[in-house]
Amino acid sequence: MKESKFILQYPENSGYDKTEINFYKGNPDLSSVFFTEKSEQKRLFISDLTITRLESAKDFFNQFTNKKILNEKTGEYIAFHETDILLVLGAGESFKTMDSVLTIVRTALENNLDRNSLMIAVGGGVLTDMAGFAASIFKRGIDVEFVPTTLLSMVDAAVGGKTGCDFEGYKNMLGAFHPAKKLYVWPSFVLSLPHNEYISGLGEAIKTALLFNQETVKMFEENPDKVLARDLNLLEKIIEECVRAKASIVQEDFKEKGRRAFLNLGHTFGHALEAVAGLGKITHGEAVCWGMMRQAELADRLSICEKSYPVRVRNLLKAYGYDTKAFPSVLEDKACNKEKIILELLKAMHKDKKNNSSGLVRCTIQEDVCKTQIKSFKDDELIPLFTD
């Protein structure tokens, strides 16, 4: 049952109108949303091998028949329900490639989608990012809608129009701004997530709270047991607060020319860690949390923040089991080459798409909770953050 609806309105000069965000209570019921009435649009649904096996979504996906295997090795396939097509891709960060994006485009082309057709992604942030990118380049852009199934995609990836894929081992190097026309959010999907995927999404939710909502930070600080136990009432509040916070900043700054860059808190460090560890070796949210600790330490070293701030961030992250060490556990097998690894982290940070031509590394950094700025730093200011 749909509980509430929220409209994210885009600026007049953005080229886009709005995203309708629908929040639902209870178990996911995709059939009631998509199959109750016959669609006048030709639709390509895009999902992955993990999502199609979820008990909460099986009834919907089982309505697609006449399966045709596209790749024997990965198990990717297409199937059909009346005029709708389902494309099922491999799951995980390792599939977030231009090849997967082109598989979506090729499927759309071979099944005669036109500029009035619709792509609908049912999955996590990897999938919504790729489907949005494919929709942005197919016939110069068609509509896309998202059913986010992970906490990470609900609170962050599916909201705001950033799309893309990884390239040459670097996160989200290719992409475009192409927001979904509609989002369908069932928080109960989160109850079936593996622990690491749940923790990944929590990392982005904590980031959003640190940026925009003191009360949500307190809620995280006071209720770690309930949050880790996936108390659905708390999760519904967290998800809606995060969506509304992100939507508000996107409305103000769609193309990330100003305050929207605050949403990159922890990401310059986190993306570098993902690249050096090997994409998929650590979840995105865990890497971002490590990055948030690095920015807090940086702010402390340079006397940018309140003295209580890094202590508060460390205590919060530790309460949820995130790695706050300078040299993270995911890189421990490389510790014998620590100096080399630190240089690799710096190199990856310099590759970050948020940097300009100054040769410095641009980071989102906080003075305190909900007090944020963007600054650029020299390598010698960053190196100590990986060694203490």
Side-chain angles (χ1 to χ4, degrees):
M1 180 180 70
K2 184 161 65 175
E3 192 71 15
S4 62
K5 181 170 74 173
F6 175 68
I7 301 297
L8 195 173
Q9 197 77 42
Y10 297 106
E12 287 185 11
N13 62 352
S14 68
Y16 297 96
D17 181 18
K18 64 185 178 181
T19 294
E20 179 185 295
I21 304 173
N22 300 286
F23 297 96
Y24 296 84
K25 296 276 190 180
N27 294 325
D29 187 359
L30 280 68
S31 294
S32 70
V33 171
F34 296 112
F35 290 159
T36 300
E37 297 178 5
K38 187 173 177 62
S39 174
E40 295 181 2
Q41 291 174 293
K42 191 151 194 175
R43 302 183 295 189
L44 172 60
F45 289 86
I46 305 136
S47 195
D48 66 40
L49 291 163
T50 296
I51 302 305
T52 54
R53 293 169 183 149
L54 289 177
E55 284 297 326
S56 55
K58 269 186 178 179
D59 288 346
F60 174 75
F61 289 115
N62 284 344
Q63 295 179 71
F64 289 87
T65 57
N66 299 323
K67 183 187 295 187
K68 177 184 174 184
I69 299 295
L70 298 179
N71 188 316
E72 292 283 355
K73 185 177 180 181
T74 63
E76 295 174 336
Y77 67 89
I78 59 172
F80 305 88
H81 173 75
E82 297 180 354
T83 59
D84 293 322
I85 307 104
L86 169 66
L87 168 63
V88 179
L89 299 170
E93 191 76 33
S94 62
F95 287 91
K96 194 178 182 181
T97 65
M98 195 64 196
D99 284 343
S100 293
V101 173
L102 293 178
T103 296
I104 299 171
V105 170
R106 189 177 299 110
T107 302
L109 187 62
E110 291 176 350
N111 288 277
N112 301 314
L113 270 70
D114 58 32
R115 294 190 72 180
N116 296 313
S117 298
L118 175 66
M119 292 184 185
I120 303 169
V122 183
V126 167
L127 205 70
T128 57
D129 276 5
M130 291 196 300
F133 187 26
S136 78
I137 60 177
F138 180 70
K139 299 195 175 182
R140 296 197 177 100
I142 67 171
D143 287 347
V144 66
E145 297 178 356
F146 297 149
V147 181
T149 60
T150 66
L151 183 55
L152 180 63
S153 58
M154 290 177 196
V155 302
D156 186 63
V159 184
K162 281 187 179 182
T163 72
C165 63
D166 304 334
F167 185 69
E168 299 292 342
Y170 295 103
K171 289 276 292 184
N172 301 326
M173 278 293 119
L174 306 177
F177 286 91
H178 192 68
K181 297 288 283 187
K182 293 182 180 180
L183 298 183
Y184 307 90
V185 182
W186 277 278
S188 57
F189 265 124
V190 172
L191 301 180
S192 61
L193 288 177
H195 178 72
N196 67 326
E197 287 297 330
Y198 179 61
I199 289 296
S200 180
L202 276 185
E204 283 285 2
I206 289 170
K207 177 209 76 175
T208 302
L210 287 171
L211 286 169
F212 303 119
N213 197 310
Q214 290 268 12
E215 290 305 310
T216 307
V217 174
K218 289 179 183 176
M219 186 279 299
F220 274 118
E221 290 173 328
E222 294 170 359
N223 299 281
D225 292 342
K226 282 188 176 182
V227 175
L228 288 170
R230 309 191 200 193
D231 181 288
L232 190 54
N233 288 330
L234 272 180
L235 284 176
E236 288 170 348
K237 291 175 185 176
I238 290 168
I239 290 166
E240 188 156 351
E241 284 295 329
C242 287
V243 170
R244 289 180 179 274
K246 183 166 184 182
S248 177
I249 204 78
V250 169
Q251 282 185 174
E252 173 190 322
D253 179 23
F254 178 57
K255 288 290 184 76
E256 202 178 89
K257 302 297 184 183
R259 291 180 71 239
R260 184 173 181 176
F262 289 176
L263 291 165
N264 292 312
L265 183 70
H267 281 63
T268 302
F269 291 97
H271 282 170
L273 178 57
E274 288 182 86
V276 172
L279 294 180
K281 293 292 179 64
I282 182 172
T283 67
H284 176 68
E286 289 173 297
V288 166
C289 286
W290 177 79
M292 286 194 289
M293 193 65 245
R294 295 304 95 221
Q295 69 81 25
E297 293 283 4
L298 179 60
D300 188 34
R301 280 178 170 277
L302 300 181
S303 300
I304 292 170
C305 67
E306 299 290 334
K307 282 294 179 185
S308 60
Y309 173 73
V311 176
R312 190 177 184 187
V313 171
R314 178 177 285 103
N315 289 340
L316 175 57
L317 296 178
K318 280 190 169 184
Y320 289 89
Y322 296 109
D323 190 349
T324 61
K325 293 184 297 186
F327 196 81
S329 298
V330 73
L331 298 180
E332 282 299 333
D333 62 333
K334 306 175 189 287
C336 58
N337 294 313
K338 188 175 285 189
E339 289 185 8
K340 179 185 175 185
I341 296 304
I342 290 171
L343 291 177
E344 288 182 11
L345 286 167
L346 286 172
K347 179 183 176 183
M349 292 175 74
H350 279 282
K351 292 277 188 183
D352 193 279
K353 57 188 178 295
K354 297 178 288 296
N355 292 325
N356 54 33
S357 59
S358 68
L360 304 176
V361 174
R362 195 165 179 256
C363 294
T364 302
I365 196 165
Q366 290 197 295
E367 302 167 45
D368 204 349
V369 173
C370 298
K371 294 182 180 179
T372 311
Q373 58 180 282
I374 310 289
K375 290 182 71 69
S376 296
F377 301 95
K378 300 175 183 177
D379 285 3
D380 59 9
E381 293 174 310
L382 300 173
I383 287 173
L385 301 171
F386 309 124
T387 56
D388 288 356

